[in-house]
Amino acid sequence: MSVVAVQLGQCGNQIGQQLFSVINSDSNGANRKTYKECSDERFFYENSKGDLVARSVLFDMEPKVISQAITKASKSGKWKYGETAHFCQKQGSGNNWANGFSVHGPRHEEVMTDLVRREVERCDRLAGILPMMSVAGGTGSGMGTYVTQCIRDMYPNSFIFNHLTWPYCTGEVIVQNYNSVLTLSHLYQLSDAILVHENDTVHKICAQLMNIKHISISDVNKVIAHQLGSVLQPAFTEHSLSSYSRDPIGELLCSLVCHPEFKLLSLCNIPQMCSSSLAYSAFKWPGLLKHLRQMLIANAKMEEGIDWKVCVPSVDKSAGEMARNKRHVGFNTSLANLLILRGKDVSTADTGAFKDSGMYAPWLPAGGTFSAWNTSVPFNGYEKSATIVSNSQSLLRPLDNIVKKAWNMFASRAYIHQYTKFGVSEEDFLDCFTTLEQIISSYTHP
């Protein structure tokens, strides 16, 4: 089954191009014929000339980013984008969500939906659609949300798995908090799940783990693409023990989205290091999994700086029922976790520690909170690697911060006129705040 990517705005197009490069490079390693066949079926197809073409459509209101993505893909000589699978105009959205959603989206709806439809029709079987965008921009989030809405209308029974990039806390644009609130509240109702990468976290990984001195947007995007690829590449799942999963999005959602009120997913991946250090490093599964589990429960996004004092709360059965003791400050409660292991001796990895019921919300049924996928094929140059995709409280703090900042601006009516003139009313803002405050409440008391 195939996944169709929809690259939206500058962020979505840059990350999308890096993602396809990682997937293509990883699949072309030695002794991985079946792995490559499955990966290519998911993400590429052959055109009439025999070229390997990405299953993706690219949208932006400025031609520069799209032309750069197309050029980089073509220069690789290994894969390319479809010759007509893109749309751009020489008019930006000025970092205004309302302009993208209410003006550019409806104005160009027919041509954009036709591009998506044509890409979907190239698939023998559709696994799902992967819209990729920034949560805080103009074109990527505003027009991207409109495109996602159109996709949901066109394919009401297909999976939509959004990938969002969270802005730096220090701010990229003055209205990024407004844009984030509007994007998240809409996509939460349109998507089956939303996987979030935080720019601040990825920046720290580049600085502290990759040892990059002068960090560029490209460096950040490469880390995001590596982590995302570690989830999307073929693996054996609990439902496909003898062959690679043919329904990657469906099985991922089945493992992680236990309730429609809880759709926010985060990701941790280890190890990550600069290529010069990789050749001199050796890893064992017990050590990798011990660190990854502590990262999960302590809400640490990388190996450095983990708080080892945080522990899973004990369970008291003396009263005849499961009653959890007071949770440690900083403990990250999970609703569901998916562990993906790739590499040498993967069959020897013991994942039992991730099944501890104390890690999860008490109302969830036993056995429905943890899933594990694996493959002996190493990923992207790492002999052993582990990724955990988590539906947990890990995004609660950044979400709460964005809502508070946006509410403070809204209370003082700052920049509201820039949105109302494009058709987003104050009542629309209030509806969006209400939606996100309900999400925050749900994750605060899972």
Side-chain angles (χ1 to χ4, degrees), residues 224-408:
I224 293 175
H226 172 87
Q227 293 193 350
L228 192 54
S230 73
V231 175
L232 296 175
Q233 279 288 68
F236 298 105
T237 71
E238 295 169 344
H239 302 289
S240 60
L241 298 176
S242 60
S243 61
Y244 288 119
S245 170
R246 297 291 176 177
D247 186 19
I249 304 299
E251 291 200 44
L252 183 144
L253 295 174
C254 182
S255 300
L256 290 166
V257 185
C258 52
H259 190 283
E261 187 71 23
F262 301 92
K263 297 182 180 180
L264 290 179
L265 309 180
S266 58
L267 185 157
C268 291
N269 171 259
I270 59 171
Q272 283 199 253
M273 60 180 60
C274 59
S275 56
S276 59
S277 301
L278 190 58
Y280 304 99
S281 303
F283 300 95
K284 296 183 178 181
W285 287 117
L288 287 175
L289 296 181
K290 179 181 179 181
H291 278 75
L292 192 60
R293 181 179 183 273
Q294 192 64 26
M295 289 165 65
L296 172 64
I297 65 174
N299 197 20
K301 297 300 192 303
M302 59 183 187
E303 300 96 306
E304 289 189 11
I306 301 174
D307 186 353
W308 289 94
K309 295 179 181 178
V310 177
C311 59
V312 176
S314 59
V315 176
D316 180 12
K317 298 182 181 180
S318 60
E321 60 181 16
M322 304 290 276
R324 283 166 173 74
N325 295 337
K326 186 177 181 180
R327 296 187 182 277
H328 190 286
V329 174
F331 179 79
N332 177 39
T333 302
S334 296
L335 289 101
N337 290 309
L338 170 61
L339 178 64
I340 306 170
L341 306 179
R342 301 178 182 274
K344 185 179 179 181
D345 301 325
V346 70
S347 61
T348 66
D350 181 4
T351 62
F354 291 87
K355 300 177 183 179
D356 188 338
S357 60
M359 296 169 59
Y360 300 94
W363 54 269
L364 292 162
T369 53
F370 174 74
S371 302
W373 299 356
N374 67 78
T375 175
S376 59
V377 177
F379 176 70
N380 205 26
Y382 288 81
E383 183 184 67
K384 297 184 181 75
S385 63
T387 301
I388 192 155
V389 188
S390 178
N391 188 341
S392 68
Q393 295 176 313
S394 61
L395 293 169
L396 187 55
R397 180 176 294 178
L399 176 59
D400 192 41
N401 287 339
I402 276 182
V403 171
K404 286 179 179 177
K405 290 177 181 178
W407 181 255
N408 288 337

Side-chain angles (χ1 to χ4, degrees), residues 142-202:
M143 193 177 75
T145 300
Y146 188 86
V147 170
T148 306
Q149 179 176 287
C150 293
I151 292 171
R152 175 51 75 206
D153 291 339
M154 287 193 299
Y155 304 105
N157 299 317
S158 296
F159 294 126
I160 297 179
F161 178 45
N162 268 92
H163 177 265
L164 296 182
T165 304
W166 210 276
Y168 287 98
C169 289
T170 51
E172 298 172 21
V173 295
I174 191 67
V175 291
Q176 69 177 26
N177 297 309
Y178 279 162
N179 294 341
S180 299
V181 165
L182 292 164
T183 302
L184 283 167
S185 60
H186 281 75
L187 291 182
Y188 214 79
Q189 300 172 57
L190 298 169
S191 306
D192 295 289
I194 300 172
L195 177 61
V196 175
H197 269 99
E198 300 172 69
N199 272 342
D200 286 299
T201 296
V202 181

Side-chain angles (χ1 to χ4, degrees), residues 93 96 98-103 417-424:
S93 295
N96 189 309
N99 193 8
F101 183 82
S102 301
V103 179
H417 67 283
Q418 294 187 10
Y419 292 81
T420 55
K421 73 178 181 180
F422 290 119
V424 175

Side-chain angles (χ1 to χ4, degrees), residues 83-122:
E83 293 180 2
T84 60
H86 56 84
F87 172 81
C88 61
Q89 295 282 295
K90 293 184 179 180
Q91 47 183 318
S93 295
N95 289 318
N96 189 309
W97 189 94
N99 193 8
F101 183 82
S102 301
V103 179
H104 294 317
R107 181 180 295 165
H108 305 293
E109 176 182 346
E110 184 176 353
V111 63
M112 291 190 296
T113 54
D114 186 57
L115 287 172
V116 174
R117 185 180 295 108
R118 279 191 280 169
E119 203 62 44
V120 168
E121 289 174 352
R122 287 192 179 98

